[in-house]
Amino acid sequence: MFAMTLPAPGRPLCAQTRPDPEPGPGEVRLRVRACGVCRTDLHVLDGDLPQRRESIVPGHEIVGVVEAVGPGVEGVALGQRLGVPWLGETCGACGYCRAGEENLCDSPGFTGWTRDGGYADVVAARADHCLPIPDGLSDVEAAPLMCAGLIGFRCWRKAQEGRAVKRLGLYGFGAAAHLLAQLAIHAGQAVYAFTREGDAAAQELARELGCAWAGASGEAPPEPLDAAIIFAPVGELVPTALRAVRKGGIVVCGGIHMSDIPSFPYAILWEERRLVSVANLTRQDGLDYLPLAARAGVKPHVTTYPLAEANRALADLRNGAFTGAAVLVP
């Protein structure tokens, strides 16, 4: 197999040839057809997420075809197309798993961080944590849905707990936000897109997708928001978003890593505004989201790169050189 591996945090990925992994008990081996490039991959590369394994293969937005099945795997066929998300394995025994909150598992494994991921042409994955890919989505289109789409969906459901949402703000209009915007608009919500100052391309994409408004993150929306979701890993956006939501509104932090949140006056949290985070996802999120996204016609705006150019794709993500999502193709 060919893989792009991380020798140590802070260093570029290195091309490497390895023996194909043999699927262990409960695992399948997939021939990778596409792997999305996620901002969480940058957090792994930069060491924001501490190194757990040497020479890890990043990538957790994987679409592949089953080419080998390990012992004990049932209900999976050779040639079947599956997706591999960020949450790569859970213990099934801790209190969180037993309560249906496997996203908070005490002993999880994460694709592309603690388990080798999809910046490769072959990957081994837990069969029971893979997701079926709906027909009608190409490999490249389906890859960003494995994390950007899923985490946006979980944030969206969290934002709607307890109160109806008619006006939804999305801070950081990248892969996750541009996918969620399509779903929210399909559901009849007005979406307000907040981007980095001067990011005309992202604002134009937001308008093309049907957002009601697009502007810089420092701007106030034209009317108070019912909910806001922060996808950008920028703690300074938390008080900004709190100021933008109405009384009783909610701000959801969707990133796995965020810079420090500055102090802010209690007045912008008062009046029953809520500030919550979303951690990881569950398999049920994927089973609920993927068919819904397909029915809603959610399609990512994708820039593709050859697998061997993963470092360029990551640099472009860091520098905001593309809109939407990036996908590596072996």
Side-chain angles (χ1 to χ4, degrees):
M1 63 176 284
F2 174 83
M4 298 295 291
T5 65
L6 178 64
R11 295 178 59 186
L13 300 181
C14 295
Q16 189 177 62
T17 302
R18 298 179 172 184
D20 288 350
E22 287 299 324
E27 292 186 334
V28 293
R29 185 173 73 224
L30 302 178
R31 179 64 54 175
V32 178
R33 288 185 170 177
C35 183
V37 179
C38 179
R39 187 161 294 277
T40 301
D41 298 335
L42 290 179
H43 295 317
V44 172
L45 265 65
D46 294 344
D48 297 327
L49 299 180
Q51 184 180 22
R52 298 287 186 86
R53 282 183 53 184
E54 294 183 1
S55 297
I56 190 72
V57 180
H60 56 274
E61 295 181 330
I62 307 168
V63 174
V65 174
V66 178
E67 65 173 24
V69 176
V73 174
E74 298 180 355
V76 175
L78 295 177
Q80 183 177 356
R81 192 169 65 140
L82 296 175
V84 185
W86 168 247
L87 189 63
E89 58 185 328
T90 50
C91 71
C94 70
Y96 293 108
C97 285
R98 294 197 306 272
E101 298 176 310
E102 65 183 10
N103 59 307
L104 303 177
C105 174
D106 286 332
S107 302
F110 296 104
T111 310
W113 183 29
T114 66
R115 297 177 59 97
D116 282 334
Y119 284 21
D121 52 19
V122 170
V123 67
R126 279 272 299 268
D128 59 355
H129 283 64
C130 293
L131 298 169
I133 304 297
D135 295 335
L137 287 169
S138 71
D139 301 327
V140 167
E141 290 171 337
L145 275 59
M146 290 299 105
C147 180
L150 276 169
I151 201 67
F153 177 65
R154 187 171 181 86
C155 289
W156 188 52
R157 293 212 287 198
K158 180 68 70 175
Q160 297 177 98
E161 287 180 351
R163 295 180 188 269
V165 172
K166 295 181 179 179
R167 295 182 296 274
L168 175 68
L170 303 179
Y171 285 81
F173 203 80
H178 96 288
L179 291 170
L180 177 55
Q182 297 174 58
L183 188 59
I185 291 167
H186 183 267
Q189 295 173 345
V191 176
Y192 299 73
F194 297 84
T195 74
R196 285 179 289 193
E197 183 74 36
D199 193 346
Q203 292 173 20
E204 180 60 29
L205 175 61
R207 297 186 188 99
E208 289 175 1
L209 293 175
C211 291
W213 178 90
S217 294
E219 296 182 50
E223 50 191 332
L225 306 173
D226 299 312
I229 301 173
I230 302 175
F231 293 116
V234 181
E236 288 84 353
L237 290 175
V238 169
T240 299
L242 283 170
R243 289 186 175 94
V245 298
R246 62 167 175 80
K247 292 181 286 187
I250 183 171
V251 173
V252 182
C253 300
I256 191 171
H257 175 84
M258 179 181 275
S259 61
D260 290 346
I261 300 171
S263 62
F264 55 84
Y266 176 66
I268 64 174
L269 182 63
W270 189 56
E271 295 173 316
E272 298 193 355
R273 293 176 181 87
R274 291 168 290 155
L275 175 62
V276 301
S277 70
V278 160
N280 310 315
L281 50 97
T282 68
R283 283 170 282 182
Q284 192 61 50
D285 289 330
L287 296 173
D288 293 343
Y289 169 67
L290 292 172
L292 178 60
R295 290 195 301 271
V298 173
K299 297 280 187 180
H301 185 274
V302 172
T303 301
T304 59
Y305 297 79
L307 173 59
E309 296 184 20
N311 284 310
R312 180 166 68 91
L314 288 161
D316 286 351
L317 172 61
R318 191 187 301 276
N319 297 323
F322 58 80
T323 56
V327 175
L328 301 176
V329 180

